[in-house]
Amino acid sequence: MTSNAHSTVILAAGKGTRMKSNLPKVLHEIAGRPMLGHVLANTRFGGKTVLVVGPDMDDVAAYARGVRQDLSVVVQLNQRGTGDAARTALPEIIHEDGVVLVVFGDTPLVRAETLADMADTCRKSGNIVILGFEAKDPAGYGRVVLKDGKVRRIVEHKDATEAERSIRLCFGGPMAVPAGHFGALLGGLTNDNAQGEYYLTDLVALGRGAGLDCICVTCPEADIQGVNSRADLAAAEASLQRRMRQAAMAEGVTFLDPDTVYLSFDTKLGRDVTVGQNVVFGPGCEIADGVLIKAFSHLEGARVSEGAQIGPFARIRPGSEIGRKARIGNFVETKKAKIEEGAKVNHLSYIGDARVGAGANIGAGTITCNYDGYNKFFTDIGAGAFVGSNSSLVAPVKIGDGAYLGSGSVVTKDVSADALAVARGRQMEKPGWAKAFRAQNEDIKKQSSGE
């Protein structure tokens, strides 16, 4: 389809009162991205995009513009149905030719290829195209009424007869309409129905009166599920997670317990990656081939190179770069840290605002003290360095290549390459002190109890 012959209208004016939230419904997240973000990503066909919002929904408009700077935003002042919302977008739409695709901001699982197919079918046939699905339980959905295999009309559940309510082919929401007919058909809408609203679905019957047929493209019910409540949000999250896990496994990823792994919309997993139980990927993760991520680890905004090992119980925070064959072990946290090839941070450590050079070894309990309450400072640990257990590196500080830090050190000054640095109090011993201390306190105890 050509960019100048296609318009997309995204309806996002609904208040979402059943969500019981101060956050607009379409900004609730699924797989680490607002629902509206999924819809925007799945409608990148070029041409004009118009977002319809309700009054006082500046946050929705701001988010959308942050994703797609070229879209237009219009406000539906009086929310009188989906047809009225689409009519609000008319001044921004190219009318001469092409296709107008109408989608909903709260149906984030509709696939981009499905929408593209609808638009192409509309453009080639010159007819209206709707998206339908076979519902297990059609209650509440608009029914697609067929006659001789053709779509005659869509009837909303509240307006349907008993016979029509038995129909299981339901309307999913998206609709593609020839651009040259879109404005005229919207102008013919009336609100003579149970809700007193202007239904977008009435365009089908109006189209027939204008000599247009209607084609129903179908998709799986899981793809079309909308979100009107927190329970719907959880169901949509589960559906998208299943889809993403299946896609990852098809590309060579092993999940030891797939249902316990959570991915983000942009998670990238290489071939022969193995992911343990209860692992969570936040947005911005790129995992290269052959990486092992053990159970109960959490990664966000991180890049992990080929053959590295993470976890178990590791937290890899934004800005972390884990090098080839590096190892990040149990109860280790990294943040804005570059862990170079073959380096090891195996136990109970925090490495933040730092570089750990190739082949370096960070002992258990080591931390980089990178924050003074106002500013962040950098720690540089050279290649092949050995940092003894329970050390504190007070940034800014540099540990030279091959340097050795004694366990329990508090390092506040740079350490030269290949040097030994020990920064701790001198050990002293008083023979018999502990025995005398216990005896003294036992006597005091006896005196206070009157023995």
Side-chain angles (χ1 to χ4, degrees):
M1 71 193 75
T2 58
S3 60
N4 64 352
H6 182 79
S7 299
T8 300
V9 178
I10 301 174
L11 306 184
K15 295 179 180 179
T17 55
R18 289 169 55 192
M19 298 293 289
K20 300 292 193 294
S21 176
N22 293 327
L23 185 70
K25 178 171 68 170
V26 296
L27 295 185
H28 283 264
E29 291 189 352
I30 294 174
R33 178 163 64 179
M35 289 189 285
L36 179 57
H38 290 279
V39 176
L40 289 168
N42 291 333
T43 54
R44 287 185 178 275
F45 305 129
K48 184 79 171 182
T49 298
V50 183
L51 177 70
V52 181
V53 300
D56 301 319
M57 294 180 74
D58 293 343
D59 45 359
V60 175
Y63 170 76
R65 288 192 176 108
V67 176
R68 298 265 290 275
Q69 293 78 15
D70 59 337
L71 62 71
S72 299
V73 178
V74 297
V75 179
Q76 183 188 14
L77 295 175
N78 300 305
Q79 296 184 13
R80 300 178 296 177
T82 53
D84 180 65
R87 204 154 47 189
T88 305
L90 275 175
E92 299 292 331
I93 292 173
I94 300 169
H95 298 288
E96 290 77 10
D97 58 7
V99 173
V100 178
L101 178 67
V102 183
V103 298
F104 289 79
D106 62 351
T107 53
L109 304 187
V110 181
R111 300 173 191 262
E113 53 267 33
T114 301
L115 297 175
D117 180 53
M118 289 179 62
D120 281 340
T121 301
C122 177
R123 178 173 57 83
K124 292 174 182 176
S125 69
N127 293 310
I128 296 172
V129 178
I130 63 170
L131 184 60
F133 65 99
E134 291 284 340
K136 292 180 181 179
D137 179 6
Y141 291 112
R143 306 309 201 278
V144 179
V145 180
L146 302 176
K147 184 176 182 181
D148 299 326
K150 295 184 178 181
V151 178
R152 293 301 177 184
R153 63 192 184 103
I154 302 170
V155 59
E156 297 293 337
H157 178 83
K158 292 184 178 181
D159 300 303
T161 65
E162 286 301 315
E164 289 168 338
R165 290 185 180 187
S166 67
I167 297 171
R168 297 184 61 182
L169 180 61
C170 297
F171 176 54
M175 177 183 293
V177 181
H181 293 273
F182 191 60
L185 293 177
L186 287 174
L189 291 176
T190 68
N191 62 348
D192 184 18
N193 51 62
Q195 294 289 91
E197 295 183 346
Y198 296 91
Y199 292 152
L200 185 67
T201 50
D202 287 346
L203 294 192
V204 173
L206 291 172
R208 287 183 60 238
L212 300 178
D213 285 332
C214 180
I215 300 167
C216 183
V217 171
T218 60
C219 70
E221 184 173 4
D223 287 8
I224 201 62
Q225 62 190 97
V227 175
N228 293 303
S229 67
R230 303 285 182 148
D232 291 343
L233 186 70
E237 177 77 48
S239 292
L240 186 54
Q241 290 295 335
R242 283 192 294 271
R243 181 192 296 181
M244 292 189 297
R245 292 175 196 134
Q246 290 293 331
M249 289 187 286
E251 293 299 318
V253 175
T254 294
F255 295 125
L256 298 185
D257 188 356
D259 289 345
T260 68
V261 175
Y262 281 79
L263 307 172
S264 282
F265 70 98
D266 60 351
T267 303
K268 297 179 181 178
L269 300 173
R271 184 170 294 185
D272 293 319
V273 169
T274 299
V275 181
Q277 300 86 342
N278 295 288
V279 172
V280 176
F281 294 93
C285 288
E286 297 183 21
I287 313 301
D289 295 350
V291 170
L292 172 60
I293 301 176
K294 297 182 180 179
F296 293 96
S297 294
H298 187 286
L299 299 87
E300 181 177 1
R303 295 174 59 188
V304 182
S305 297
E306 183 179 356
Q309 293 187 27
I310 307 293
F313 295 96
R315 186 181 181 200
I316 311 300
R317 292 172 58 194
S320 295
E321 297 183 25
I322 312 303
R324 184 175 180 272
K325 294 188 176 180
R327 295 178 63 177
I328 305 296
N330 51 286
F331 301 102
V332 171
E333 178 181 351
T334 67
K335 188 273 296 183
K336 201 177 180 181
K338 185 175 183 180
I339 313 299
E340 295 184 350
E341 182 172 355
K344 299 177 182 179
V345 190
N346 278 330
H347 320 281
L348 303 156
S349 293
Y350 169 69
I351 306 296
D353 296 284
R355 177 186 76 98
V356 178
N361 187 90
I362 308 300
T366 294
I367 61 171
T368 57
C369 306
N370 59 322
Y371 183 51
D372 66 0
Y374 295 93
N375 303 292
K376 299 287 180 70
F377 298 97
F378 188 74
T379 298
D380 189 83
I381 302 171
F386 185 97
V387 179
S389 296
N390 201 36
S391 293
S392 298
L393 310 182
V394 183
V397 69
K398 181 176 181 179
I399 312 302
D401 293 351
Y404 196 109
L405 300 188
S407 298
S409 292
V410 178
V411 179
T412 59
K413 298 179 180 179
D414 291 354
V415 178
S416 301
D418 296 317
L420 167 64
V422 181
R424 59 186 181 224
R426 184 179 299 276
Q427 183 171 324
M428 60 176 289
E429 183 175 322
K430 293 184 177 182
W433 182 91
K435 183 177 180 180
F437 177 78
R438 287 192 295 269
Q440 179 184 8
N441 281 278
E442 286 296 326
D443 288 342
I444 294 171
K445 183 178 179 182
K446 289 178 181 179
Q447 291 173 10
S448 63
S449 64
E451 294 183 9

